[in-house]
Amino acid sequence: MQSFLILNGPNLNLLGQRQPEVYGRTTLEDIRDMCADHAKSCGVEVEFAQSNHEGVMIDMIHQAKAVHDGIILNAGAYTHTSVALQDAIASVEVPTIELHLSNIHARETFRHHSYISPVAVGLICGFGANGYRLAIDALCGWLEEHA
Ligand code: CA2
């Protein structure tokens, strides 16, 4: 069975608790449960994780190489700052989908640049929590096409 790492970055543990006008009312636990249900219906396994620490995220990306067929990454604000995350994704060569709840291109200009996009197979943003389901479907489709 195929296995995906769904990795969430800083402050995403606060989802549903603050700024609902930007990020909605769904909590990260709700999203984790939704991903587990959707993955099951697609016949894939998921490991769902969140960290507020760049180094921990990098370690998880390195470890994904031996274990997972793909990564869905919402790197949070590290998206816009982290050369280290870009290097980690490039080094493991595990197909990675960049994901954001909000449409980063419709927000402040500092959110328009992503260090993740150049090393991702694709980008999903602006669809809120449903983006996680879309990303699981997109990764399944990408792996099928590149089998
Ligand atoms: O839209 C996304 O998914 C983001 O990755 C979320 C990040 C933001 O820095 C990116 O530009 C876009 C922020 C995550 C913080 O989430 C919070 C949730 C509730 C309250 C405060 C922050």
Side-chain angles (χ1 to χ4, degrees):
M1 192 184 276
Q2 282 180 336
S3 174
F4 300 166
L5 171 64
I6 303 178
L7 180 56
N8 298 280
N11 297 309
L12 285 159
N13 54 312
L14 299 176
L15 275 183
Q17 300 168 34
R18 313 227 174 97
Q19 291 184 257
E21 68 286 359
V22 183
Y23 298 114
R25 294 200 177 275
T26 310
T27 67
L28 196 63
E29 288 71 29
D30 295 333
I31 293 176
R32 183 196 58 207
D33 294 348
M34 188 188 81
C35 287
D37 284 351
H38 192 64
K40 200 172 170 188
S41 74
C42 300
V44 298
E45 273 176 4
V46 288
E47 176 186 355
F48 193 90
Q50 187 273 333
S51 177
N52 291 321
H53 305 279
E54 192 175 13
V56 173
M57 294 177 70
I58 291 166
D59 287 343
M60 293 196 77
I61 290 166
H62 291 173
Q63 285 154 16
K65 184 167 182 62
V67 185
H68 296 291
D69 300 288
I71 299 172
I72 293 166
L73 177 62
N74 184 347
Y78 288 146
T79 304
H80 318 298
T81 62
S82 182
V83 177
L85 276 175
Q86 180 185 107
D87 287 348
I89 294 161
S91 68
V92 292
E93 295 177 329
V94 177
T96 298
I97 292 190
E98 177 182 354
L99 173 66
H100 301 285
L101 294 153
S102 60
N103 178 356
I104 55 174
H105 297 289
R107 299 184 63 192
E108 303 97 320
T109 45
F110 69 84
R111 295 187 203 275
H112 297 181
H113 178 263
S114 166
Y115 281 98
I116 310 302
S117 295
V119 291
V121 298
L123 162 70
I124 293 169
C125 72
F127 296 101
N130 193 40
Y132 285 77
R133 267 194 291 251
L134 298 174
I136 291 171
D137 290 344
L139 196 47
C140 288
W142 190 94
L143 288 167
E144 212 174 290
E145 278 177 20
H146 293 82

